[in-house]
Amino acid sequence: NAGVTQTPKFQVLKTGQSMTLQCAQDMNHNSMYWYRQDPGMGLRLIYYSASEGTTDKGEVPNGYNVSRLNKREFSLRLESAAPSQTSVYFCASRGYEQYFGPGTRLTVT
Amino acid sequence: AQKVTQAQTEISVVEKEDVTLDCVYETRDTTYYLFWYKQPPSGELVFLIRRNSFDEQNEISGRYSWNFQKSTSSFNFTITASQVVDSAVYFCALITEEDSGGYQKVTFGTGTKLQVIP
């Protein structure tokens, strides 16, 4: 039982490059989330998925797209990375609590 | 609008002192959930507690206790006899959702960094 897993753990991109952050959970949860964490800002919700096949915007969705591939997997895509997207990204799934993955530290130069 | 305020940005205490971390929230919804999470220097987010809006009982878990007061929209967290291992950033969070379990609003506070000095 791995909980919530995220890949990669670290990534450096150049401005304009694209990438997909992967997230998977093995707890059979319906709801999954993507957050970003910036110094002094706490965690801000980018997108979430209340169930397989549905996604909704959170507080800061601009510049991101998501895919809820199946019940287990929820990916976050940056189509054209910008320095403002330098952050730590957390994926979570929700049962009684929100279970968080270990995070992805992304730097865009 | 939904909001969570953690007014204390950083707190330093000497080991064995008690410390209270404040959390004030705003929401128009009558059904909601409040959470506290701990983020140690290693970076992971550790769940501490969940409270729903209909359960105002205070809770104690070892050295940790929580005081939920709907009248003041506060959900404060107290650590008794603090230890160096308590040094971390603590986040308060609020989730509200439609009864159908569809649209959700998730708001985290900006966190309180607690430093416990030996």
Side-chain angles (χ1 to χ4, degrees):
Chain A
N1 187 343
V4 178
T5 57
Q6 289 182 237
T7 55
K9 289 189 177 180
F10 301 94
Q11 184 71 50
V12 179
L13 291 178
K14 294 185 178 179
T15 298
Q17 288 184 321
S18 62
M19 79 160 295
T20 299
L21 281 65
Q22 306 287 352
C23 174
Q25 52 97 5
D26 61 3
M27 294 172 283
N28 203 36
H29 291 157
N30 286 320
S31 296
M32 296 184 73
Y33 308 78
W34 275 105
Y35 294 91
R36 61 178 288 173
Q37 183 178 22
D38 302 294
M41 303 288 288
L43 278 80
R44 292 183 292 169
L45 183 65
I46 304 171
Y47 272 93
Y48 71 94
S49 170
S51 61
E52 184 179 351
T54 68
T55 61
D56 282 288
K57 295 178 181 179
E59 181 185 351
V60 288
N62 291 345
Y64 305 95
N65 287 303
V66 291
S67 295
R68 184 73 183 268
L69 304 169
N70 47 56
K71 195 169 187 179
R72 288 188 66 250
E73 299 171 289
F74 188 37
S75 63
L76 177 72
R77 183 161 178 84
L78 287 70
E79 290 290 352
S80 179
S84 61
Q85 293 177 305
T86 293
S87 188
V88 179
Y89 291 85
F90 286 97
C91 177
S93 72
R94 184 180 168 197
Y96 178 80
E97 63 185 83
Q98 286 210 353
Y99 295 82
F100 285 87
T104 296
R105 188 172 295 273
L106 175 67
T107 301
V108 183
T109 61
Chain B
Q2 182 169 300
K3 189 176 180 181
V4 174
T5 301
Q6 294 180 256
Q8 304 149 308
T9 305
E10 292 191 38
I11 301 175
S12 289
V13 299
V14 176
E15 200 170 21
K16 298 184 182 177
E17 287 184 344
D18 299 347
V19 59
T20 296
L21 309 182
D22 298 332
C23 174
V24 175
Y25 63 93
E26 294 177 28
T27 180
R28 293 178 181 170
D29 293 276
T30 56
T31 301
Y32 52 88
Y33 301 90
L34 293 162
F35 298 80
W36 276 96
Y37 282 87
K38 174 182 180 180
Q39 188 175 44
S42 51
E44 73 272 24
L45 286 151
V46 179
F47 167 78
L48 296 177
I49 191 171
R50 170 184 123 158
R51 263 289 173 266
N52 70 48
S53 51
F54 300 108
D55 181 4
E56 284 194 74
Q57 279 192 339
N58 292 328
E59 181 158 337
I60 298 174
S61 177
R63 296 183 296 106
Y64 295 170
S65 62
W66 291 268
N67 183 352
F68 177 27
Q69 292 195 340
K70 286 180 75 171
S71 60
T72 56
S73 297
S74 64
F75 186 41
N76 297 336
F77 171 33
T78 297
I79 302 174
T80 302
S82 59
Q83 299 177 1
V84 172
V85 293
D86 296 326
S87 297
V89 180
Y90 292 86
F91 292 99
C92 180
L94 168 67
I95 295 180
T96 59
E97 61 190 323
E98 293 182 347
D99 290 339
S100 62
Y103 181 71
Q104 301 176 20
K105 290 178 285 187
V106 182
T107 306
F108 274 73
T110 52
T112 296
K113 183 176 182 179
L114 174 65
Q115 183 178 17
V116 181
I117 303 166

